[in-house]
Amino acid sequence: MKNKEKIYEGKAKIIYKGTKPNTLIQYFKDDATAFNNKKKSIIPGKGVLNNFISELLMSRLSEINVPNHFIKRLNMREQLVRKLEIIPVEVVVRNVATGSLVKRLGIKDGKVLSRPIIEFYLKNDDLNDPIISDEHIIVFEWATHQELEEIISIASRVNDFLTGYFFSQSIRLVDFKIEFGRFWDSDESILMLADEISPDNCRLWDIKTNKKLDKDRFRQDLGDVDKAYQEVAYRLGVLSENEFKKVIKNDL
Ligand code: ADP
Ligand code: TMP
């Protein structure tokens, strides 16, 4: 679609007005940022891979009745989604201790948790996305008590499903971040999963070798970031190596 109306440009995606009422188009960029935009680079093909990976995972989640914004993929870099009122809370689910958890609490990196932990962060770049509690969410009215219960229940289902899905491709789902929003239907709102699920916001380790197949390769300067994202896509079967090479040649 030419001459789309740009609504917002974020660190990894551009949001355009959708083709139908109450829809948006997510355009996936190759830009990678970390540490709240302090570290920046381009990972060639990342946007295409994340578009395909997120399409697959959101579609599978729809099939098990996890409500989410995904409608359809439009092309290599764009998908049509439902327009939501985003809840300004980043929901992180952890199965293995790593990242900010080990820094904050001095836990051993790689410790498998006795049960998943769900954490909340305020979605506010100016404040560096600080960790918050459920009490903050309710008192400051970022979500209602009922929404919060639903968020926890959906996050837990997403974790159980994705853990098994990735495991079947010999990938350990270490942790991930998801976002939620309200889809307004007259004066009723339905809570839905928003944004994307991809190696940008999941930690994915090879089951046997613990090789990192996600954005930590960029955050920690481990190299071969593009190859890691490609490997996730190939293992999940969303694109073959030949298809990806063809796609990149004829990119938008
Ligand atoms: P950021 O804003 O953190 O830089 P992105 O570059 O990924 O992140 O931009 C995508 C933005 O679109 C995010 O802020 C996200 O909350 C928002 N978003 C994702 N899905 C939807 C949706 N269905 N409706 C409205 N906004 C959405
Ligand atoms: P953390 O260990 O740095 O808190 O990250 C937890 C998970 O959340 C990890 O899978 C990466 C993801 N994440 C994002 O998607 N966006 C962010 O801004 C941050 C800090 C983490």
Side-chain angles (χ1 to χ4, degrees):
M1 192 173 83
K2 294 259 154 30
N3 304 320
K4 297 185 294 278
E5 188 184 328
K6 189 169 165 175
I7 293 178
Y8 170 81
E9 177 154 4
K11 298 185 286 292
K13 298 189 283 300
I14 305 174
I15 304 294
Y16 296 97
K17 204 169 170 195
T19 41
K20 296 190 190 111
N22 295 323
T23 64
L24 296 174
I25 292 168
Q26 295 200 114
Y27 174 95
F28 288 74
K29 304 192 283 184
D30 287 344
D31 303 47
T33 70
F35 315 117
N36 199 8
N37 226 352
K38 286 185 194 81
K39 178 170 177 168
K40 291 184 203 184
S41 189
I42 302 281
I43 302 171
K46 175 177 84 89
V48 173
L49 296 163
N50 283 356
N51 186 20
F52 276 79
I53 293 169
S54 201
E55 172 193 20
L56 171 82
L57 300 177
M58 291 289 187
S59 303
R60 291 292 92 85
L61 286 167
S62 287
E63 286 161 12
I64 59 156
N65 289 327
V66 170
N68 70 72
H69 71 163
F70 181 79
I71 300 173
K72 65 173 180 179
R73 185 169 56 77
L74 298 172
N75 54 46
M76 295 304 147
R77 286 186 181 268
E78 294 175 325
Q79 50 181 247
L80 187 69
V81 299
R82 289 182 188 82
K83 182 182 179 176
L84 305 183
E85 181 186 282
I86 294 293
I87 293 176
V89 174
E90 301 196 345
V91 180
V92 169
V93 184
R94 300 181 188 270
N95 298 304
V96 177
T98 194
S100 69
L101 176 72
V102 302
K103 285 205 192 89
R104 197 181 317 116
L105 303 179
I107 308 293
K108 190 172 180 298
D109 204 317
K111 181 184 167 56
V112 178
L113 303 175
S114 56
R115 64 178 177 85
I117 293 176
I118 300 184
E119 297 173 340
F120 307 108
Y121 295 82
L122 182 64
K123 189 173 153 60
N124 185 322
D125 283 350
D126 294 342
L127 299 176
N128 252 325
D129 295 351
I131 191 163
I132 52 174
S133 76
D134 46 358
E135 294 286 297
H136 296 109
I137 295 174
I138 305 297
V139 170
F140 299 117
E141 297 181 354
W142 292 315
T144 65
H145 184 75
Q146 194 191 328
E147 284 173 333
L148 188 57
E149 283 195 344
E150 224 179 309
I151 285 172
I152 292 168
S153 158
I154 296 175
S156 170
R157 285 187 69 208
V158 170
N159 184 44
D160 288 347
F161 180 78
L162 291 185
T163 295
Y165 203 80
F166 280 116
F167 188 80
S168 71
Q169 302 310 322
S170 299
I171 293 172
R172 185 189 302 277
L173 178 62
V174 169
D175 56 31
F176 60 95
K177 182 269 292 181
I178 45 179
E179 296 183 20
F180 290 86
R182 302 179 187 97
F183 180 72
W184 285 98
D185 187 9
S186 49
D187 55 358
E188 298 250 315
S189 78
I190 304 170
L191 193 77
M192 286 187 186
L193 205 54
D195 206 52
E196 69 182 292
I197 305 179
S198 74
D200 264 14
N201 42 40
C202 298
R203 285 198 176 96
L204 305 168
W205 296 357
D206 179 83
I207 287 282
K208 283 210 188 94
T209 63
N210 281 342
K211 182 181 171 191
K212 295 179 201 294
L213 299 171
D214 57 68
K215 202 164 110 178
D216 268 356
R217 299 204 71 82
F218 167 68
R219 296 189 187 98
Q220 300 169 8
D221 294 319
L222 298 175
D224 288 338
V225 191
D226 53 344
K227 299 232 169 50
Y229 280 63
Q230 285 165 34
E231 176 147 4
V232 173
Y234 302 156
R235 286 201 203 183
L236 293 176
V238 288
L239 275 172
S240 70
E241 197 165 349
N242 278 343
E243 281 166 336
F244 179 65
K245 283 189 179 137
K246 249 191 251 162
V247 161
I248 289 302
K249 248 197 192 162
N250 308 313
D251 203 2
L252 280 181

